[in-house]
Amino acid sequence: MREQEFWSEEAKQKLRAWFCWLDDNRGDRARLRRAETPDDVVLTEPFFNFLRQMPESWARPWNLPIAAMVAAVLAHVKKDEDKDKKDKDKKSFAAQLASPKPGTDRPCMSEMRFQQLQKSRTPDEFFRRLIRAVKLADSHVNIISLADSIRRWMNEYRYGISLKPLDRLAVRWASDYYTSK
Amino acid sequence: MNLIEDAWLPVLREQGPDKIAPWQMVEPYNPVLEIIAPRPDFQGALYQFLIGLLQTCFTPEDHDEWLEYWEEMPTVEELKKTFEKVASAFELDKPVDSSFLQDFDLKAGEIKNIAGLLIESPGGKTIKDNLDHFVKGGAIRRVCPSCVATALFTLQINAPSGGVGHRVGLRGGGPLTTLVMPGAKESLWKKLWLNVLDRDWFETTDIELGPGIFPWMGPTRISDKGGKNTTPEDVDSLQVYWGMPRRIRLDFLDAEESRCDLCGENATSFVEKYRTQNYGTNYEGAWVHPLTPYRFDPKKEKPPLSLKGQQGGLGYRHWLGVTMTDQSSGDCSAKVVKAYMEERVHSLTGESLARLWCFGYDMDNMKARCWYDHEMPLLKLDAAQRDNLLHWVKELVDAATDVSGFLRSQLKEAWFKRAKDVKGDMNAVVLEFWQQSENDFYALLKRFSDLPGDQRQVPPEIYAFWAKTIRNLALDLFDSWALESPVEDADMKRIIGARKELAKKLRTSKAMKTLLNKSSL
C-alpha cells in the first residue's frame, strides 16, 4: 500500500470511524480478537465488514494481508489515544511504547522486548508480538500510527528495506522510542 | 642518452603517441598536446622537468615577453638553440663524467635493485620480513633509459627521508606541487608556459653551466659529520628545479631488445641496479620552490614550510591555502599561482579561467601512504575582491570543518560503546563529507567572484544555502554510515542518541550559529 493512499484524510477518517463502530459491534470485535494469525480473519464476516467501511483500495489483493493485520491488531486496542489532538501533536505508537508505566520510571515496553519486536522474522511472529505490545501499552495507542507501522513493516517484509535509512520502520521506531523520554 | 638531444619524452601528439626531445614540443606540424607518462607521479615529474628546463634556459624578461610567447610559441630553432646551451649537463649514462642527477664521484655505495628508485616500493627490511602485502616487491626488474631518467628525477624532487643521512628533497619529503593549467584544451606548450615565471617574479642571472645550478656537475656538497648544509645563499637560485638530495649512480647495461618493466616498450639498454650512499646534499634554510605553496612564519623567525601531501586528501578546505596569499596566517600560494592570480589572469581576457592541478605523495616518513591528484578552480579577482574572499571563504570552510568534526565524533559514538578509547582512521567518513560538498562550495565561490570588490557583505541567502547544505549532508552521511547496516546488529539506542546529539550540535555550534545569524540579516 502506498504512502499517499494510506495517509489520505479519507482513509484516516474511515479507519477511525470503523474503530468507533466496533464499540457497538462487540461480536465482530470478539471474533477478530480470537485470530491467532492475520490469515485467520481473512475469510470472516467481521473482516468483510471492515473492508466495506474502508476505501476501495484496501480490498485489492496485494493490500489484503496488510488490511487483515490492521483489523486484527486494532481489535485489541481499547482506546484511540489522544483522539482529539492534531496528528502532528500525537505521540507515535513507538513513542507510546517508551512512555513510562504508571507509577514507575520504566517504559511500558522494555527495550529488550522492543528490540525483539523489531527483529520479527515472519508476519505471524510480528503479529503476536505486536498484540503483546498493544497490551503492554494498556491498550491505549495511536491507531493511525499503529496501522501505518503495520503497513510499513509488511512493505519492508515483502519488498525489502528502503535505501534511505530514515524511511525504514526500524529506524523510525528507534528514533521515536529512544527520543521520547 | 642525452636528455636534451634524444627523443625520450613520452607525449601525445594530435595524431597519436610519440617520443620527443624537449625542444620538439613546439613543432608546429602535428602539435604536441600532452605528456603521457606511464605513472601519475612520473606525469607530474615530467611536467616539472620541462618547466624547470624552460625556467633555466628560457626565462622571459618581463610580463610582456611572457605574453608574446603565450600568444605565439617559439620556433623549433629558437628553443633548440637555447636548450643546447645546457645539453652537456643532461647526459644520462656517461660512466665517468658528470651524469644527470647522479653523484659526481661516487666510488663505493650500497648496490640496490632499480625498483628502489620508485617511491612506493617496499624497502629492504619490508621485503626481508615478508611484509610487502599491498605493494609487492620484485615486479620491476629492469627499466629503460627513458623511465629511469624520469624515476630518478621523481625521486630527487620528492625524496622522503630514507634512513640515516638519506636526505629529503629540497622542498621536504613528499611536497605538494601546484601547477596552473589552462581551462580549455591547449597545447603542451601553453600548459608549461603558464608555469614559467618572468624575471620580475623569479630573479636569475645569466646561467653559468656548473654545479651552482646543476649539483651533479661538481663534487657533491656532502652533509656527513663535518660536512655542510646547502642554503639558497650557497648556490644558484635555479637549483630549486634541479635539487639532488640523494647520491645515486645508475649502472647501465646493454641487452637484447626486450620490454621495459615500467612503460612496456622495447629497449636495448637497461638499468637493473644502482649504487647509493647517504649524506648527500642537505637543503636547509629559506628555500622557496615556485611550484609549491608554503606557510611562512608570521613572525619571520623560522624558515618557510612547504605544504605536503596530506592524510585525508586534498579538497576545497585547502583551496584558500593553495590559491591565495593570506598575510596574517602566513599561508602563501606557489609563486606561479600568485603570478597567475595577480597578473596573468588580467591580461588573458577572453580566455577560460585556468585550473589548479595539485598533486603529491602523502608520506609517512619513508612509507608512501597515498598519491593525490586533484584539480581546483582558479578565479579572476581584483585586490579588493581577494580580501573579501579570504574572509568569506574562511567562514564557510570553518563551518564545514566544524560540521565534519561533529560528524566524525558522533559516528564514533554511534559505532562504539567506548568511543573515546577507540583509535583508528575515520578519514573515509570525513573525506566523503568534503567530497560531496565540493561542487556546491565551488558554485558558491563562483558567485562570490561575481560580487564587486566594494561589496563587503555577502548576500544572506548564500549563508543560508551553505548552512543548509552542510547540515543536511552531515545528517545524510550519518544515516548512511550508521544506519545502513541491518538493525539487528546495531545498538539503536546508542545510534539514535548520537544522531540527536549531532542534530543539536549542527544547530548550536559557534561556526554554524555565525552562518545562521548572517543568513537572516
Side-chain angles (χ1 to χ4, degrees):
Chain A
M1 194 178 300
R2 274 174 312 175
E3 185 101 18
Q4 315 90 295
E5 236 169 45
F6 177 84
W7 281 109
S8 72
E9 254 335 290
E10 185 205 1
K12 281 194 281 184
Q13 272 173 20
K14 287 190 162 168
L15 190 65
R16 286 201 192 98
W18 169 78
F19 185 74
C20 293
W21 174 88
L22 214 52
D23 275 344
D24 304 324
N25 293 270
R26 303 279 170 134
D28 271 26
R29 176 142 84 192
R31 283 186 65 189
L32 287 173
R33 277 189 186 173
R34 278 200 289 277
E36 278 171 30
T37 72
D39 289 349
D40 291 349
V41 306
V42 173
L43 294 173
T44 61
E45 201 190 327
F47 184 57
F48 178 72
N49 289 336
F50 171 72
L51 287 181
R52 211 160 31 100
Q53 296 179 48
M54 293 304 294
E56 248 169 70
S57 64
W58 285 58
R60 299 210 178 103
W62 56 89
N63 284 336
L64 274 183
I66 299 176
M69 202 185 304
V70 168
V73 173
L74 255 51
H76 290 269
V77 178
K78 286 196 192 118
K79 196 177 153 201
D80 185 8
E81 181 77 10
D82 302 331
K83 199 167 78 182
D84 303 323
K85 282 193 190 168
K86 284 187 184 147
D87 279 343
K88 65 176 171 49
D89 299 330
K90 283 185 185 173
K91 268 191 171 179
S92 71
F93 174 59
Q96 286 171 332
L97 295 178
S99 52
K101 238 188 274 188
T104 70
D105 55 357
R106 280 174 301 144
C108 344
M109 189 178 204
S110 70
E111 253 179 65
M112 186 73 173
R113 271 184 194 279
F114 180 68
Q115 280 165 10
Q116 288 235 310
L117 173 63
Q118 293 192 3
K119 289 181 199 170
S120 307
R121 275 158 306 182
T122 63
D124 289 357
E125 196 175 62
F126 181 64
F127 176 71
R128 277 200 309 279
R129 288 179 173 160
L130 207 52
I131 290 174
R132 181 83 201 150
V134 169
K135 288 182 176 153
L136 286 170
D138 205 21
S139 306
H140 280 50
V141 300
N142 178 343
I143 59 165
I144 302 287
S145 165
L146 172 57
D148 185 49
S149 296
I150 293 171
R151 174 187 70 92
R152 283 177 186 276
W153 193 91
M154 288 296 280
N155 281 348
E156 286 183 3
Y157 176 73
R158 288 190 291 192
Y159 310 121
I161 53 174
S162 160
L163 279 178
K164 278 171 69 187
L166 276 192
D167 284 349
R168 290 188 216 142
L169 180 61
V171 174
R172 281 169 172 250
W173 266 10
S175 169
D176 287 347
Y177 183 91
Y178 291 116
T179 55
S180 78
K181 281 173 260 181
Chain B
M1 188 169 86
N2 185 292
L3 302 181
I4 298 296
E5 285 154 3
D6 294 315
W8 66 282
L9 289 163
V11 295
L12 183 70
R13 286 177 183 270
E14 199 168 79
Q15 293 170 20
D18 195 8
K19 287 240 164 110
I20 60 163
W23 49 269
Q24 287 179 280
M25 65 180 154
V26 292
E27 281 175 340
Y29 171 70
N30 192 5
V32 178
L33 302 177
E34 182 59 289
I35 293 170
I36 41 168
R39 292 159 45 108
D41 57 342
F42 283 15
Q43 182 81 5
L46 288 179
Y47 260 95
Q48 293 179 72
F49 175 87
L50 291 175
I51 291 165
L53 196 58
L54 286 167
Q55 192 73 66
T56 306
C57 310
F58 203 63
T59 305
E61 283 307 318
D62 52 19
H63 181 60
D64 287 342
E65 192 178 295
W66 181 86
L67 266 182
E68 282 166 28
Y69 283 115
W70 171 262
E71 299 297 339
E72 195 173 345
M73 57 187 186
T75 62
V76 173
E77 291 72 33
E78 201 177 355
L79 202 60
K80 192 174 178 191
K81 225 174 87 198
T82 140
F83 283 173
E84 270 169 356
K85 285 184 295 188
V86 296
S88 61
F90 286 83
E91 291 291 346
L92 183 66
D93 47 5
K94 284 273 152 32
V96 280
D97 280 340
S98 59
S99 292
F100 174 68
L101 272 184
Q102 293 164 68
D103 196 85
F104 189 69
D105 49 9
L106 188 65
K107 307 261 175 352
E110 192 186 346
I111 296 178
K112 289 194 163 180
N113 290 326
I114 195 63
L117 280 192
L118 304 172
I119 285 172
E120 83 286 3
S121 65
K125 185 167 180 340
T126 310
I127 291 183
K128 205 171 77 199
D129 295 350
N130 204 12
L131 288 173
D132 50 339
H133 297 311
F134 299 108
V135 181
K136 307 277 186 234
I140 308 289
R141 293 180 186 284
R142 45 164 45 189
V143 175
C144 70
S146 162
C147 285
V148 89
T150 317
L152 187 61
F153 187 71
T154 309
L155 176 66
Q156 300 280 23
I157 58 175
N158 292 312
S161 58
V164 179
H166 289 277
R167 300 301 183 195
V168 298
L170 183 140
R171 296 172 266 179
L176 189 68
T177 304
T178 59
L179 301 184
V180 183
M181 289 286 124
K185 209 177 153 195
E186 294 284 5
S187 62
L188 179 61
W189 168 259
K190 283 197 167 182
K191 291 174 185 168
L192 297 169
W193 196 239
L194 269 178
N195 296 286
V196 177
L197 297 167
D198 65 53
R199 252 181 244 286
D200 294 333
W201 287 91
F202 189 87
E203 273 178 57
T204 59
T205 44
D206 277 345
I207 61 161
E208 198 177 308
L209 203 57
I213 298 175
F214 305 114
W216 57 90
M217 296 196 77
T220 298
R221 298 171 62 89
I222 308 277
S223 60
D224 59 359
K225 223 186 230 170
K228 53 198 163 197
N229 291 332
T230 301
T231 66
E233 290 75 40
D234 295 324
V235 292
D236 196 290
S237 60
L238 276 166
Q239 191 166 131
V240 287
Y241 290 99
W242 307 108
M244 192 181 75
R246 299 291 182 88
R247 308 184 68 188
I248 288 171
R249 200 77 205 186
L250 303 170
D251 288 334
F252 285 85
L253 47 94
D254 293 326
E256 273 183 41
E257 185 163 310
S258 55
R259 281 160 62 96
C260 160
D261 285 341
L262 268 177
C263 63
E265 291 192 28
N266 284 342
T268 54
S269 167
F270 287 98
V271 180
E272 291 182 355
K273 307 271 182 199
Y274 68 96
R275 283 175 296 137
T276 182
Q277 199 175 0
N278 49 5
Y279 300 113
T281 314
N282 190 28
Y283 293 101
E284 282 279 342
W287 286 100
V288 176
H289 194 288
L291 304 176
T292 292
Y294 282 81
R295 174 160 296 161
F296 287 82
D297 179 9
K299 295 193 203 106
K300 300 196 162 64
E301 284 162 4
K302 293 180 196 131
L305 257 169
S306 69
L307 255 62
K308 310 287 193 301
Q310 320 249 330
Q311 196 177 13
L314 280 167
Y316 67 83
R317 64 191 183 283
H318 302 110
W319 186 85
L320 270 187
V322 300
T323 62
M324 305 271 253
T325 299
D326 181 354
Q327 297 294 355
S328 59
S329 72
D331 285 331
C332 191
S333 63
K335 232 180 201 178
V336 285
V337 180
K338 211 165 146 75
Y340 179 81
M341 295 282 278
E342 293 178 15
E343 184 171 45
R344 292 175 177 176
V345 71
H346 301 289
S347 313
L348 304 175
T349 44
E351 300 200 31
S352 37
L353 282 172
R355 298 183 62 77
L356 193 65
W357 174 28
C358 318
F359 55 86
Y361 273 105
D362 167 19
M363 300 298 304
D364 174 11
N365 285 319
M366 65 188 298
K367 187 166 70 215
R369 258 190 310 234
C370 201
W371 168 261
Y372 287 118
D373 235 288
H374 196 82
E375 271 204 10
M376 296 184 188
L378 291 172
L379 299 172
K380 182 177 180 175
L381 304 164
D382 59 35
Q385 284 176 313
R386 272 200 300 273
D387 270 1
N388 288 345
L389 209 74
L390 266 179
H391 183 67
W392 297 336
V393 168
K394 230 181 237 157
E395 286 177 335
L396 300 194
V397 171
D398 282 352
T401 307
D402 272 13
V403 169
S404 78
F406 299 148
L407 176 61
R408 178 205 299 257
S409 62
Q410 290 311 313
L411 254 184
K412 248 175 134 181
E413 292 288 338
W415 278 345
F416 305 109
K417 203 182 252 167
R418 291 157 59 102
K420 295 250 154 30
D421 297 345
V422 175
K423 293 193 180 68
D425 189 351
M426 296 277 289
N427 274 318
V429 174
V430 178
L431 201 58
E432 181 120 4
F433 173 82
W434 290 111
Q435 280 172 354
Q436 290 204 22
S437 48
E438 183 167 33
N439 282 343
D440 285 330
F441 176 82
Y442 288 140
L444 284 189
L445 267 193
K446 185 75 194 49
R447 286 185 63 185
F448 279 159
S449 72
D450 294 338
L451 297 174
D454 52 14
Q455 176 165 354
R456 300 286 301 177
Q457 295 282 345
V458 182
E461 68 265 20
I462 286 190
Y463 287 112
F465 171 80
W466 187 242
K468 196 174 123 219
T469 302
I470 54 179
R471 181 183 171 278
N472 290 351
L473 179 60
L475 287 171
D476 279 353
L477 285 176
F478 180 92
D479 290 346
S480 69
W481 287 95
L483 294 169
E484 216 131 77
S485 58
V487 169
E488 288 87 274
D489 311 331
D491 183 337
M492 288 305 278
K493 184 178 186 178
R494 210 168 56 205
I495 295 175
I496 298 296
R499 191 181 196 279
K500 205 177 153 192
E501 184 64 26
L502 175 63
K504 189 176 132 203
K505 286 194 161 154
L506 290 176
R507 283 195 310 272
T508 56
S509 99
K510 196 165 161 240
M512 282 300 270
K513 268 190 170 160
T514 310
L515 281 194
L516 291 169
N517 286 340
K518 294 198 173 174
S519 65
S520 55
L521 277 178

